Amino acid sequence: MFVCGYHFPAEMGNDVSFDKVIEKVEKGAGDVTGKTVTLTNETKEGTILETLTVPEGTFAHTAFVDYYIQTECAEKDGFKMVYYTNKYQISEISKSVDGDATKDICKKLDDMNLYRVKVA
């Protein structure tokens, strides 16, 4: 099974603990201190609906930095497309561990719009 881009043994099934995922994401992202994570919420036509900043110190922040570093998705104007599976997985874990800090962002990530991420 793959969660947030990381492979977990099949015997874990769908019950991969968030702690295991967080551990791999933090290791993959490295030092995220001082990095700004910006998301754009777009329609399928590419119209930007809004721009969001992910709060530093949250799992979502670390996970989007990790995604940006690890994904092979092509960069366009400094942004990389976020795959649906990844945004849903990041949202689910963030809802559980970040609480109110990312509640509004996670609610938006559950929609069907496209998202791009930029890390600066």
Side-chain angles (χ1 to χ4, degrees), residues 49-75:
L49 300 174
E50 72 182 309
T51 301
L52 309 163
T53 301
V54 181
E56 189 173 349
T58 62
F59 169 78
H61 180 268
T62 303
F64 280 115
V65 170
D66 180 58
Y67 177 84
Y68 191 85
I69 293 167
Q70 305 297 336
T71 188
E72 295 180 8
C73 185
E75 183 180 316

Side-chain angles (χ1 to χ4, degrees), residues 31-40 51-58 60-66 68-69 78-80 105 116-120:
D31 184 13
V32 298
T33 306
K35 294 187 179 185
T36 301
V37 175
T38 305
L39 297 173
T40 57
T51 301
L52 309 163
T53 301
V54 181
E56 189 173 349
T58 62
H61 180 268
T62 303
F64 280 115
V65 170
D66 180 58
Y68 191 85
I69 293 167
F79 285 86
K80 291 185 177 184
I105 290 173
R116 294 183 194 275
V117 61
K118 181 177 185 177
V119 175

Side-chain angles (χ1 to χ4, degrees), residues 4 12 24 32 34 39 42 49 56 60 66 68 70 73 76 81-82 88 92 101-102 105-106 111-112 116 118:
C4 291
M12 293 178 92
K24 285 194 177 196
V32 298
L39 297 173
E42 304 176 18
L49 300 174
E56 189 173 349
D66 180 58
Y68 191 85
Q70 305 297 336
C73 185
K76 180 181 175 187
M81 182 66 68
V82 179
Y88 293 133
E92 284 305 306
T102 59
I105 290 173
C106 289
D111 66 19
M112 292 302 292
R116 294 183 194 275
K118 181 177 185 177

Side-chain angles (χ1 to χ4, degrees), residues 71-113:
T71 188
E72 295 180 8
C73 185
E75 183 180 316
K76 180 181 175 187
D77 299 326
F79 285 86
K80 291 185 177 184
M81 182 66 68
V82 179
Y83 296 112
Y84 284 112
T85 303
N86 294 83
K87 76 177 185 118
Y88 293 133
Q89 291 171 343
I90 291 169
S91 173
E92 284 305 306
I93 296 171
S94 183
K95 286 178 199 174
S96 176
V97 299
D98 293 332
D100 287 342
T102 59
K103 182 175 79 173
D104 291 337
I105 290 173
C106 289
K107 189 174 185 179
K108 293 171 194 242
L109 291 173
D110 290 339
D111 66 19
M112 292 302 292
N113 289 326

Side-chain angles (χ1 to χ4, degrees), residues 3-14:
V3 181
C4 291
Y6 291 98
H7 179 261
F8 292 89
E11 58 268 8
M12 293 178 92
N14 290 330

